Amino acid sequence: MSPLVKIRSERDRMSAVERRIADFVLENAQLLRDYSSQQLANALGISQSSVVKFTQKLGFRGYPDLKYSVGEAIGRADDDEAPDARHAGDAVGAMLWERKTRAQEATESINPPDVIAHAADAIGAAGKVFLIGLGEDDLHAHAFALRLSLLGIVALRQHDAGDLAAQVGLAGAGDVLVVFSEHGRLPLLTKAARHFRERRGRVVSVTRHTANPLRAMADLSLVVAAHDDASYVQSLIYQSTVQQLMDRIFVHLCEGDGGRHQRYVDALDRIHQLFEP
């Protein structure tokens, strides 16, 4: 994994000092070769030992090892870089594409194939799948519930926590609750997840890659790494990265069962026929 991708993926779990170092490295990767660990520490107003501990925590032997790895990653990126006509003359489009791509790479690295497979298998084997998300998170709950329905999976999307509380009584062993919550800190969602588990159901959480009550409660946690200094850009990156993450689950469900794939094709045919003249 690229050291820069690794730093981005772990940033949300870092301490304040570690985030300062991470941001400096990400923003000044091209210049890192000119900085010693002491010079980097001086630039940030921290101790040299903090820089060393930061690099070791990421799995590097020391600061020189990190600096060398970053230099190699930049070299590979320069070799692979090619003009993209889609973004020619569109600085904003190019910026968004680059940042979304970085966030998706970081998120993929912290949700390896076995995690995706376990989540997809739990959803595919469930008698019923309950889904909930509040605010913008509801967009993902709605979209994923629709896709599950097209596969022939019973998907019950809840519009608010009150509806979910009323429906928890229908849950049984093996059923799954998918909770979309960016920060995972809404007490009502955590309580709902706890009640669901008491019914012997399994909880899948989709949150940021931070320590949070919902993630701690979940049987399976899917996490998103999407940071940007501009809040309006960070929101866009988070939403697109969640979509990419759930797309991976959906593809796994389709490819893991030929019957589901055929049900999906049949469902699309019926929908198209409804709109035919």
Side-chain angles (χ1 to χ4, degrees):
M1 186 195 311
S2 162
L4 299 178
V5 170
K6 189 170 187 178
I7 290 171
R8 289 190 196 97
S9 68
E10 294 295 329
R11 185 190 180 281
D12 288 343
R13 302 186 70 183
M14 294 178 180
S15 66
V17 171
E18 290 169 344
R19 284 198 297 271
R20 289 174 60 194
I21 301 172
D23 290 343
F24 185 92
V25 172
L26 293 173
E27 294 167 8
N28 301 279
Q30 295 278 5
L31 305 176
L32 199 64
R33 65 180 181 273
D34 299 326
Y35 280 82
S36 67
S37 58
Q38 185 60 64
Q39 289 172 324
L40 176 56
N42 291 341
L44 295 174
I46 59 177
S47 67
Q48 185 181 21
S49 64
S50 294
V51 175
V52 175
K53 290 177 181 177
F54 170 82
T55 59
Q56 293 174 341
K57 188 172 181 179
L58 289 172
F60 297 97
R61 291 188 296 273
Y63 178 75
D65 189 24
L66 169 64
K67 187 161 63 170
Y68 176 77
S69 296
V70 169
E72 276 198 326
I74 292 173
R76 287 195 298 270
D78 289 342
D79 291 340
D80 295 339
E81 189 173 340
D84 190 336
R86 293 174 301 173
H87 302 307
D90 183 2
V92 172
M95 177 272 290
L96 282 173
W97 178 83
E98 178 185 7
R99 296 184 189 181
K100 287 180 179 180
T101 299
R102 288 180 177 178
Q104 289 170 6
E105 289 176 348
T107 297
E108 185 171 345
S109 73
I110 54 179
N111 295 278
D114 62 316
V115 171
I116 298 298
H118 289 158
D121 289 346
I123 291 171
K128 298 180 292 295
V129 179
F130 298 77
L131 305 98
I132 188 169
L134 303 180
E136 287 191 327
D137 289 313
D138 179 54
L139 298 174
H140 301 294
H142 186 191
F144 195 57
L146 175 59
R147 288 187 172 184
L148 292 181
S149 296
L150 292 173
L151 295 178
I153 295 173
V154 178
L156 306 173
R157 170 194 163 220
Q158 310 304 317
H159 297 275
D160 59 50
D163 288 344
L164 178 60
Q167 294 292 317
V168 162
L170 299 176
D175 286 346
V176 169
L177 169 64
V178 183
V179 186
F180 296 86
S181 179
E182 180 173 356
H183 300 289
R185 298 188 179 280
L186 292 174
L188 53 87
L189 291 182
T190 303
K191 290 177 182 177
R194 183 180 298 112
H195 293 326
F196 194 86
R197 291 189 67 189
E198 289 172 356
R199 303 286 300 181
R200 298 175 60 202
R202 304 184 72 188
V203 175
V204 177
S205 65
V206 184
T207 71
R208 281 192 172 276
H209 185 37
T210 55
N212 61 73
L214 179 60
R215 182 181 176 189
M217 166 73 59
D219 298 284
L220 297 166
S221 63
L222 301 172
V223 288
V224 178
H227 169 75
D228 196 272
D229 289 335
S231 59
Y232 54 90
V233 173
Q234 178 165 278
S235 176
L236 296 174
I237 293 173
Y238 178 82
Q239 297 302 326
S240 68
T241 306
V242 172
Q243 184 62 60
Q244 173 73 7
L245 181 60
M246 301 316 295
D247 286 349
R248 291 174 65 194
I249 299 285
F250 177 74
V251 170
H252 193 285
L253 286 166
C254 289
E255 295 182 345
D257 187 316
R260 280 197 211 109
H261 182 226
Q262 187 57 51
R263 287 193 292 273
Y264 179 75
V265 173
D266 293 343
L268 289 183
D269 285 342
R270 288 194 299 272
I271 292 172
H272 292 158
Q273 290 172 15
L274 288 175
F275 290 96
E276 288 181 354

